[in-house]
Amino acid sequence: MITAGLEAIALTGADRLLPGAAGRGMVFTLHHVRPATNRPYEPNALLSITPEFLDAAIREARERGYVPLALDELPDAVAAAKNGERYVAFTLDDGCRDNAEHAAPVFRRHGVPYTLFITKGLVERTHTMWWETAEELTRTCDRFAFDFGAGIETVVCATTAQKHAAFLRLADFIEAIDEDAAVARLNDVAAAQGVDPAAIVEEQVMDADALRRLAKTDPLARFGVHTVSHCNLARVDADRLEREIVEPIEAITNWTGVQPRTIAYPYGWKRACTAREAAAARRAGLTVGVTTQPGVVDPAETQDWMLLPRVSLNGLYQKRRYVRALLSGIPFRLM
Ligand SMILES: [Zn+2]
């Protein structure tokens, strides 16, 4: 359905017929940027695009008249935009090592600034990424024992379909009970099966040295807050909410030499970032917040710079013509 819609917009040239749909700006969400692995089972495939697709997306945005700038510059630029002026900001969540290796060279080649959202607990190796742990567990095992709340059961994940089903059950489980407890239980089960959740973080996420190096060598790189634990902020109490935002501000300032002004709320959907989380971010001195709810940035419609929509450059839709369709803004007028 999504593919058909994007194809239709790209094919019909609807983007030229409805120029007003585009708004004044667009913020793109990325996670991993790395060569395609083309593995048969990749439940997190949507979170991974190739450097070539990033290159194509930047070219397409420029060709459509979008001026790239850093996310923290977007509010002022958009507010002052005159007729036809449009801006695009590229953001990358979770601080993946491949961002420095594969994405930074593309941004540098085009002179495009980019913002990395940093999770303090991943940088410091005190936390893990349940979605990566769940992928590795379901990829490497044919079965495992798990207590989803009704006692220990055997989860069979021998076929690709069973692996996808098991991954979805684990994802639902993370949302169903206390997130820390759910992640801890998953980590225990993974460890018992020979999967090391901490090793996945070490392999995939930049540590403090890597962040320092990138900040020192690439003036196009900006850094924003992605909490301490990568939890759903709407599910934690007020004290924890404050710590999840304030502690990364101090840490990122130490690592990069620049105090962050932006935040990406983990998950980013409506139930993970409400007015309460936006207010906490503002209290902490941040000036721009981004969700993962799709949409264009338009001063006529954007009431809250702490809850900006973002558009995913999605690993499942890596075609330049889809980027053109997204930049038209039309898909978000139809939702
Ligand atoms: Zn994230």
Side-chain angles (χ1 to χ4, degrees):
M1 276 301 284
I2 295 170
T3 307
L6 295 175
E7 289 284 7
I9 292 163
L11 271 175
T12 57
D15 53 323
R16 286 191 199 83
L17 297 174
L18 288 167
R24 292 291 184 214
M26 185 160 288
V27 185
F28 281 125
T29 315
L30 298 72
H31 292 81
H32 288 288
V33 178
R34 57 190 174 188
T37 53
N38 296 316
R39 287 195 271 204
Y41 173 60
E42 264 190 303
N44 292 307
L46 72 167
L47 302 179
S48 190
I49 66 166
T50 65
E52 293 75 23
F53 180 57
L54 174 59
D55 183 86
I58 293 170
R59 288 172 194 276
E60 187 63 37
R62 279 240 167 88
E63 229 165 79
R64 300 281 133 190
Y66 281 82
V67 176
L69 43 63
L71 178 65
D72 57 2
E73 299 164 350
L74 193 71
D76 286 349
V78 162
K82 296 185 200 65
N83 262 351
E85 288 178 359
R86 291 190 188 130
Y87 299 92
V88 61
F90 288 84
T91 65
L92 303 92
D93 291 10
D94 304 339
C96 305
R97 287 191 191 276
D98 56 48
N99 293 174
E101 187 182 349
H102 293 293
V106 178
F107 288 122
R108 237 172 271 145
R109 194 155 70 230
H110 290 280
V112 170
Y114 58 98
T115 300
L116 301 183
F117 285 110
I118 302 303
T119 304
K120 177 174 183 271
L122 296 180
V123 176
E124 295 178 336
R125 310 311 196 220
T126 53
H127 290 75
T128 57
M129 301 178 285
W130 68 260
W131 58 98
E132 300 287 355
T133 305
E135 172 173 342
E136 200 57 24
L137 174 66
T138 51
R139 183 205 311 288
T140 53
C141 292
D142 284 347
R143 62 188 57 231
F144 59 90
F146 203 89
D147 182 357
F148 290 96
I152 293 178
E153 61 178 286
T154 299
V155 180
V156 178
C157 48
T159 68
T160 301
Q162 287 167 339
K163 289 180 191 300
H164 277 291
F167 181 90
L168 287 179
R169 280 194 79 188
L170 291 169
D172 285 346
F173 173 69
I174 300 290
E175 261 203 277
I177 70 164
D178 173 78
E179 195 169 341
D180 295 336
V183 171
R185 192 179 301 176
L186 172 63
N187 284 350
D188 285 347
V189 170
Q193 295 291 335
V195 171
D196 182 351
I200 298 173
V201 176
E202 176 61 28
E203 185 197 327
Q204 295 199 7
V205 180
M206 283 189 274
D207 60 12
D209 279 345
L211 284 176
R212 274 192 205 99
R213 211 159 38 237
L214 183 63
K216 202 187 273 181
T217 56
D218 193 347
L220 294 169
R222 314 291 169 96
F223 301 87
V225 172
H226 203 38
T227 73
V228 175
S229 71
H230 204 284
C231 68
N232 181 331
L233 288 175
R235 296 178 68 196
V236 302
D237 66 29
D239 283 349
R240 168 97 178 257
L241 172 61
E242 190 181 318
R243 286 202 307 275
E244 291 277 352
I245 296 172
V246 170
E247 288 180 14
I249 294 177
E250 293 167 6
I252 292 166
T253 306
N254 275 333
W255 294 326
T256 69
V258 180
Q259 187 167 328
R261 297 163 61 192
T262 59
I263 181 169
Y265 310 95
Y267 306 109
W269 53 63
K270 274 209 169 77
R271 282 173 298 112
C273 40
T274 68
R276 168 183 176 264
E277 290 69 49
R282 203 179 287 112
R283 270 200 308 278
L286 302 177
T287 57
V288 182
V290 289
T291 72
T292 55
Q293 296 149 48
V296 302
V297 178
D298 194 321
E301 298 161 37
T302 304
Q303 307 312 324
D304 194 344
W305 294 106
M306 298 311 295
L307 289 169
L308 285 185
R310 277 195 300 177
V311 174
S312 171
L313 283 185
N314 187 311
L316 303 179
Y317 304 100
Q318 299 190 64
K319 297 262 166 52
R320 178 163 171 169
R321 60 183 182 275
Y322 296 164
V323 179
R324 186 188 321 155
L326 293 169
L327 286 164
S328 76
I330 294 169
F332 319 113
R333 308 293 176 176
L334 303 176
M335 287 187 315

